[in-house]
């Protein structure tokens, strides 16, 4: 990561292959689609150049995909009259974005690699991305995601259910160093909460987040640079200047004793490269929640099962 910004977030929409090849591997497509990584990087770089927020949006899309079952492209399936998937689920509807960027990159990769390419692989360029994920055949609106009002115990148990611990939770929440949230996601925190800096909350109330209306108004999750991937989010947490109640639970005593996550927040606030290294490792862990081998399929169109 090394503070390269959200352009660092890359989508490796890749493909499938031989049922014999059951493990994820960075070299999975070296032989069948050598153009994959440059094509994906170029597609993401263009998208981020056009709209800087898109890196954050794709990063979040990846997280939401991985938490609902696994990192299997299930979030990309469109609803139909007889099928309700993840797109219309509460945390995703009118909030997760970037689907058309994935469609565009998938088309470019397929053009060079003969439709060997699936929709499920995603990661960042400055760590080694494991490849070989397969696409889900279906999806469900039950997406297992914590809410922005979740307490620390609720956050911990939702991450534990995915094999992720308190450190992973704290590290991955550092993704909120980039991107934006809607007023409807943080209204309760800036109007009704005490675990927030009062000046910060007053600014948001007077500015982008009125008590009624303005639900879709956006504020940056990290004030000083919503398009820059750095460790400032953890300093904001210590200063109680973050938008989401769930994030503040990681520091300063929420409902439960948070001594474990307090210590990790302090360490990241003091050491940007510790955070960057841990973030890369945690993203690999998140992406390893995957379908491999002969499970699932290689979708031709990311929006529907073959
Ligand atoms: C720990 C539990 C988490 C909760 C409760 C949570 C909740 C949220 C909420 C409510 C928003 C604003 C959405 C909106 O208002 O439309 C958001 C944005 C975002 N989240 Fe999380 N999140 C969590 C963890 C994560 C993780 C693990 C990642 C990635 C590794 C992530 C990446 C992002 C990004 C990048 C954005 C900004 C997206 C954009 O600007 O389009 N979040 N999150």
């Amino acid at each position: 990561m090394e503070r390269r910004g959200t352009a660092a977030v890359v989508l490796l929409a890749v493909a499938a292959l031989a049922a014999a090849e059951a493990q994820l591997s960075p070299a999975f497509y070296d032989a069948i689609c050598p153009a994959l990584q440059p094509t994906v990087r170029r597609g993401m770089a263009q998208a981020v150049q056009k709209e800087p927020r898109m890196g954050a949006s794709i990063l979040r899309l990846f997280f939401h995909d991985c938490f609902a079952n696994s990192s299997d492209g299930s979030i990309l399936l469109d609803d139909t009259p007889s099928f309700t998937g993840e797109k219309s689920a509460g945390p995703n509807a009118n909030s997760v974005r970037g689907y058309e960027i994935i469609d565009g990159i998938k088309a470019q990769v397929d053009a060079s690699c003969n439709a060997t390419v699936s929709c499920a692989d995603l990661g960042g360029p400055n760590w080694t991305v494991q490849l070989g994920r397969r696409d889900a055949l279906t999806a469900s609106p039950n997406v297992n995601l914590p809410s922005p009002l979740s307490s620390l115990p609720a956050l911990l148990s939702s991450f534990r259910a995915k094999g992720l611990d308190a450190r992973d939770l704290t590290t991955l929440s550092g993704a909120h160093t980039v991107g934006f949230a809607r007023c409807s996601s943080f209204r309760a925190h800036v109007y009704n909460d005490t675990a927030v800096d009062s000046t910060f909350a007053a600014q948001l109330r007077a500015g982008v987040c009125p008590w009624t209306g303005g639900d879709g108004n956006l504020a940056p999750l990290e004030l000083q640079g919503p398009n820059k991937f750095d460790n400032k989010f953890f300093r904001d947490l210590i200063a109680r200047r973050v938008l989401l109640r769930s994030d503040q639970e990681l520091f300063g005593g929420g409902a439960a004793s948070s001594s474990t996550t307090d210590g990790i927040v302090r360490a990241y606030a003091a050491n940007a490269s510790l955070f960057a290294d841990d973030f890369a490792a945690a993203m690999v862990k998140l992406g390893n929640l995957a379908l491999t081998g002969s499970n699932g399929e290689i979708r031709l169109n990311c929006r529907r099962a073959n």
Side-chain angles (χ1 to χ4, degrees):
M1 305 292 311
E2 288 164 7
R3 299 184 218 165
R4 288 211 196 163
T6 53
V9 180
V10 176
L11 182 142
L12 294 176
V14 205
L17 217 229
E21 184 95 45
Q23 299 295 317
L24 296 179
S25 149
F28 196 88
Y29 299 108
D30 282 4
I32 56 162
C33 187
L36 173 68
Q37 298 225 16
T39 307
V40 171
R41 279 168 199 247
R42 199 175 49 245
M44 269 315 292
Q46 281 166 357
V48 169
Q49 196 181 19
K50 206 166 147 204
E51 190 204 352
R53 183 184 174 195
M54 195 48 79
S57 300
I58 297 286
L59 175 58
R60 180 165 189 246
L61 189 156
F62 176 62
F63 165 55
H64 285 210
D65 185 36
C66 296
F67 250 55
N69 292 320
S70 70
S71 173
D72 56 9
S74 49
I75 195 172
L76 304 175
L77 293 171
D78 279 347
D79 287 356
T80 69
S82 58
F83 165 79
T84 306
E86 295 169 26
K87 278 184 178 165
S88 50
N92 295 335
N94 302 316
S95 183
V96 167
R97 54 203 294 282
Y99 300 109
E100 67 293 344
I101 301 298
I102 294 178
D103 291 340
I105 293 176
K106 162 86 167 160
Q108 285 170 19
V109 173
D110 280 358
S112 349
C113 298
N114 251 340
T116 55
V117 175
S118 84
C119 311
D121 283 340
L122 201 151
N126 297 350
W127 61 83
T128 306
V129 178
Q130 299 286 334
L131 298 173
R133 297 171 186 83
R134 303 204 14 123
D135 294 330
L137 300 173
T138 187
S140 130
N142 180 10
V143 290
N144 299 322
L145 284 157
S147 104
L149 298 175
S150 290
S151 66
L152 184 64
L155 294 168
L156 285 169
S157 84
S158 107
F159 273 62
R160 268 194 212 110
K162 294 286 167 189
L164 300 167
D165 61 20
R167 190 175 187 94
D168 297 321
L169 165 67
T170 313
T171 310
L172 289 169
S173 297
H176 291 164
T177 186
V178 290
F180 293 80
R182 291 165 302 159
C183 166
S184 56
S185 299
F186 60 84
R187 182 180 281 120
H189 185 49
V190 298
Y191 280 87
N192 295 332
D193 218 332
T194 50
V196 59
D197 175 78
S198 53
T199 312
F200 171 74
Q203 280 162 356
L204 287 157
R205 292 195 300 265
V208 294
C209 202
W211 177 240
T212 47
D215 282 8
N217 293 355
L218 294 175
L221 282 157
E222 201 287 298
L223 294 172
Q224 297 166 64
N227 298 321
K228 191 155 178 268
F229 202 102
D230 56 24
N231 66 337
K232 294 210 181 74
F233 169 77
F234 294 101
R235 300 189 193 163
D236 292 351
L237 271 181
I238 294 172
R240 298 189 176 222
R241 293 164 67 86
V242 294
L243 294 182
L244 306 183
R245 170 66 203 217
S246 51
D247 282 339
Q248 195 59 59
E249 287 282 299
L250 299 172
F251 186 88
S257 159
S258 53
S259 55
T260 315
T261 54
D262 272 7
I264 305 167
V265 168
R266 281 207 184 85
Y268 289 156
N271 187 339
S273 60
L274 175 70
F275 167 57
D277 291 348
D278 280 6
F279 189 78
M283 285 296 287
V284 171
K285 227 168 147 180
L286 185 63
N288 283 350
L289 303 165
L291 294 176
T292 55
S294 55
N295 294 312
E297 65 179 4
I298 303 308
R299 226 176 271 155
L300 295 173
N301 176 338
C302 292
R303 292 173 180 268
R304 55 176 179 267
N306 295 341

